[in-house]
Amino acid sequence: LVVAWAGVEGNLFGAGETTLGGGVTRFLTCFFGGLLVGWLIALVAGKIIELVEDDLIEILLTTAAVYLSFIAGEALLPSSGIMSVVGTGLTLGGWGRTKYTPTSLDYLNRFWGYLAFVAQALIFLLVGLMIDVSTLSDFIVPVAIAIPVTIAARAISIYALFPLLNRLPWVEHADFPHQTAMAWGGLRGAMCLVLALAIPETYDHRDVILNMTVGVVLFSL
């Protein structure tokens, strides 16, 4: 949405989608449409997994379902493959947990935990190859601004939402100390680096945003 608002050509929303309205429309389509595609594929995969009693085959089916959901999301709704995978993961990780045997569920958690670790490691490696950390000193002012802004944004999102979430019956209650831990401990991560790397190279301030992001990640780590 920010990229569309900035009017950058060749942005993530597709050719010609450089207006905020076009970005919002494409975002809603990709977000909810992708979740729907992933949910439908996960339902089918869950039913098949229920009929299987082999641990390796069950893990293989979850892997196949993820790739299938990504391909289907990209083909049916451009740029929604990631959201399709999210929909599949949420469904197989929630409703689908009742379809696995206890042994395969333990293997499944370890398998996907390992893949998540590898993915994050590759993202940080990619960032390290693309950015010269020694140049961070050239962006010291933007980084110094980004760090408190990021902390404030994280704190607002946590402290503003949890008073409402704590009222829901199915949500585990989080008191103020736990909210503070989540606000302070949730700044680091690979997702912000992925988003920064996805900014089109045609955007003039791409290097500034990349260095700001790396600075925030290094600070929070």
Side-chain angles (χ1 to χ4, degrees):
L1 292 176
V2 174
V3 171
W5 172 73
V8 180
E9 294 291 342
N11 59 58
L12 303 179
F13 299 106
E17 297 279 3
T18 57
T19 64
L20 182 59
V24 171
T25 302
R26 178 60 66 88
F27 169 76
L28 294 176
T29 302
C30 292
F31 189 88
F32 294 105
L35 288 177
L36 177 61
V37 171
W39 175 69
L40 292 175
I41 292 176
L43 289 182
V44 176
K47 292 296 184 181
I48 298 176
I49 291 173
E50 191 175 15
L51 303 176
V52 178
E53 295 184 357
D54 187 283
D55 299 337
L56 295 179
I57 294 180
E58 290 182 1
I59 294 175
L60 178 62
L61 286 172
T62 61
T63 309
V66 169
Y67 277 103
L68 178 61
S69 63
F70 183 84
I71 294 173
E74 290 288 312
L76 299 176
L77 298 168
S79 301
S80 68
I82 293 177
M83 289 311 303
S84 299
V85 173
V86 171
T88 300
L90 289 173
T91 305
L92 291 179
W95 166 81
R97 297 181 76 89
T98 61
K99 309 301 179 183
Y100 313 116
T101 61
T103 304
S104 62
L105 186 59
D106 181 64
Y107 285 143
L108 199 66
N109 290 332
R110 294 175 180 271
F111 174 77
W112 284 106
Y114 168 75
L115 290 185
F117 176 79
V118 171
Q120 292 192 45
L122 291 177
I123 290 171
F124 278 94
L125 175 63
L126 180 62
V127 172
L129 293 174
M130 294 185 64
I131 296 180
D132 185 2
V133 180
S134 63
T135 62
L136 279 177
S137 58
D138 299 334
F139 301 90
I140 189 65
V141 174
V143 170
I145 296 174
I147 289 174
V149 169
T150 305
I151 295 175
R154 177 71 179 181
I156 292 173
S157 65
I158 294 294
Y159 294 132
L161 286 178
F162 265 90
L164 301 175
L165 294 176
N166 285 335
R167 297 176 181 271
L168 300 177
W170 60 86
V171 175
E172 183 178 356
H173 180 80
D175 55 16
F176 186 79
H178 283 87
Q179 295 176 30
T180 302
M182 284 185 283
W184 178 250
L187 297 178
R188 73 196 188 288
M191 185 54 66
C192 56
L193 294 174
V194 172
L195 292 173
L197 290 171
I199 296 175
E201 295 184 0
T202 55
Y203 188 53
D204 295 335
H205 306 292
R206 184 176 187 268
D207 289 340
V208 178
I209 296 177
L210 279 174
N211 282 275
M212 290 170 64
T213 305
V214 173
V216 170
V217 170
L218 291 177
F219 170 81
S220 58
L221 284 174

